Amino acid sequence: MRTPALPFPTLLAGFVAVLVGYASSAAIIWQAASAAGATAQDIAGWMTALGLAMGVSTLLLTLWRKVPVLTAWSTPGAALLVSGLQGVSLNDAVGMFIFANALIVLCGITGLFARIMKIVPHSLAAAMLAGILLRFGLQAFSALPQNLWLCGSMLLAWLAGKALAPRYAVVAALLAGSVAALLLGDVNVTAVHFAVVVPRYIAPHFEPALLLSVGLPFFLVTMASQNAPGFATLQASGYRIPASSTIVITGAFALLLSPFGVYSVCIAAITAAICQSPDAHPDPHQRWKAAAAAGVFYLLAGVFGGSITSLMAALPVAWIQMLAGLALLGTLSGSLVQALAQENERDAAMVTFLVTASGLTLGGIGSAFWGLIAGGLCFSALSLARRA
């Protein structure tokens, strides 16, 4: 029997990646836009523009490189904007977006980002990825006591799938969780409203004080906490693509569409790991199809950008957390194996893993960056000690 060009687990991986991305941070983006005085109609337009930008950029990079490259918005950046845009006009906010995205493009053109990525040891990149993914696994199982029937049914279905048909284990969990949620009355179907919203052009205004106080930190946070983990995830999964040209492309998308609310387009890390895992496809050379599927789902989410919030509200949070945790389990375990494979690098890798998993934030920069810094210092110090 001929194998279908796009197996259902591969299609599902793309769907889950987009679902997890929206479910985990769409509310933060709404808060950030609201802080700048955006109306509900404006925010819906932003969500539309973001979905279309991520869909087109994901499809472009994935089909071009034949590698599972997912783009995403900057969740750490959005978190920074929630406080940074308080009392700021939409015009000033857009000016700041243009400024920060122009810096990202410049960083790609100069090759600075690529030079930094080349010196990161593979074990530390894998350890950082494991630290990023750990909280998703913990969230999945911490929801069990309060949602025993829902999460328990998903876990049992996943376990049965792993034993009988490993490629369809996540499919089994999704179906079992959907049935359980419907039977328990946890799905608020009436809350879902489909609407198409056309993004509105907002003329930029460049306020120097805002560019320095918010724009520059936003640029640093996006590069350190989103793009760096995104490329580390690709490397940890065995994929290598030119960093500079990729950063130029994603930054250019965000730069051109900034007046429509696209505050960032970055290389995804957490959601990309779903499409880069063996559950997406047993053949690493075919996993790009999962990312391509995600690009299509991004486009659909963009078209119905005004419906994203209502859809998120209709789904049980525990269902999303358990599905994400199970979908990322294989990638988490694989990352840990790679991080600890070299005995002389284990201590540095564990420091990277623990600092990243801690979730600490210093200077507005997230734990993924500081995990690499701490692990890199340990790696360098121990390497020098061994040579002495």
Side-chain angles (χ1 to χ4, degrees), residues 58-84:
T58 292
L59 285 170
L60 173 64
L61 291 170
T62 295
L63 296 177
W64 178 24
R65 301 291 185 186
K66 289 297 188 290
V67 165
V69 185
L70 248 71
T71 60
W73 49 49
S74 173
T75 300
L80 184 150
L81 294 178
V82 172
S83 57

Side-chain angles (χ1 to χ4, degrees), residues 172 237 352-353 373:
S237 299
T352 300
F353 170 70
I373 294 297

Side-chain angles (χ1 to χ4, degrees), residues 58-337:
T58 292
L59 285 170
L60 173 64
L61 291 170
T62 295
L63 296 177
W64 178 24
R65 301 291 185 186
K66 289 297 188 290
V67 165
V69 185
L70 248 71
T71 60
W73 49 49
S74 173
T75 300
L80 184 150
L81 294 178
V82 172
S83 57
L85 295 183
Q86 290 290 340
V88 173
S89 71
L90 284 178
N91 305 90
D92 288 332
V94 167
M96 190 275 294
F97 296 165
I98 293 175
F99 171 75
N101 289 320
L103 289 179
I104 291 174
V105 173
L106 184 62
C107 192
I109 292 174
T110 58
L112 177 62
F113 184 72
R115 289 195 290 271
I116 293 173
M117 290 304 299
K118 284 182 179 179
I119 65 175
V120 177
H122 182 75
S123 60
L124 300 193
M128 184 186 69
L129 175 59
I132 293 172
L133 300 181
L134 178 62
R135 69 182 181 91
F136 284 84
L138 295 177
Q139 283 179 353
F141 292 100
S142 64
L144 263 170
Q146 295 78 25
N147 303 273
L148 186 59
W149 291 107
L150 174 62
C151 296
S153 64
M154 296 178 72
L155 181 58
L156 289 175
W158 175 84
L159 184 60
K162 274 292 181 183
L164 301 175
R167 289 189 63 195
Y168 294 91
V170 177
V171 179
L174 183 148
L175 294 176
S178 299
V179 173
L182 287 170
L183 293 176
L184 293 169
D186 290 339
V187 180
N188 184 11
V189 180
T190 59
V192 181
H193 303 286
F194 293 98
V196 177
V197 178
V198 178
R200 178 172 69 91
Y201 175 83
I202 300 171
H205 178 262
F206 300 96
E207 179 61 42
L210 181 68
L211 300 184
L212 292 177
S213 63
V214 181
L216 192 57
F218 175 77
F219 158 72
L220 294 173
V221 165
T222 298
M223 294 301 290
S225 299
Q226 190 70 52
N227 280 323
F231 276 96
T233 300
L234 280 165
Q235 292 181 8
S237 299
Y239 301 103
R240 293 188 177 274
I241 60 174
S244 295
S245 60
T246 304
I247 288 296
V248 170
I249 290 172
T250 57
F253 265 98
L255 181 60
L256 291 173
L257 297 175
S258 290
F260 299 95
V262 178
Y263 71 97
S264 72
V265 177
C266 311
I267 302 301
I270 296 168
T271 51
I274 297 174
C275 294
Q276 295 161 8
S277 72
D279 288 332
H281 201 288
D283 183 358
H285 299 293
Q286 296 297 317
R287 291 173 193 164
W288 63 269
K289 296 178 181 178
V296 175
F297 286 119
Y298 269 143
L299 293 177
L300 292 175
V303 171
F304 295 103
S307 310
I308 296 300
T309 301
S310 63
L311 181 60
M312 292 300 102
L315 292 168
V317 174
W319 182 89
I320 296 172
Q321 290 177 340
M322 178 58 76
L323 186 65
L326 294 176
L328 291 167
L329 196 59
T331 304
L332 173 58
S333 61
S335 299
L336 286 173
V337 169

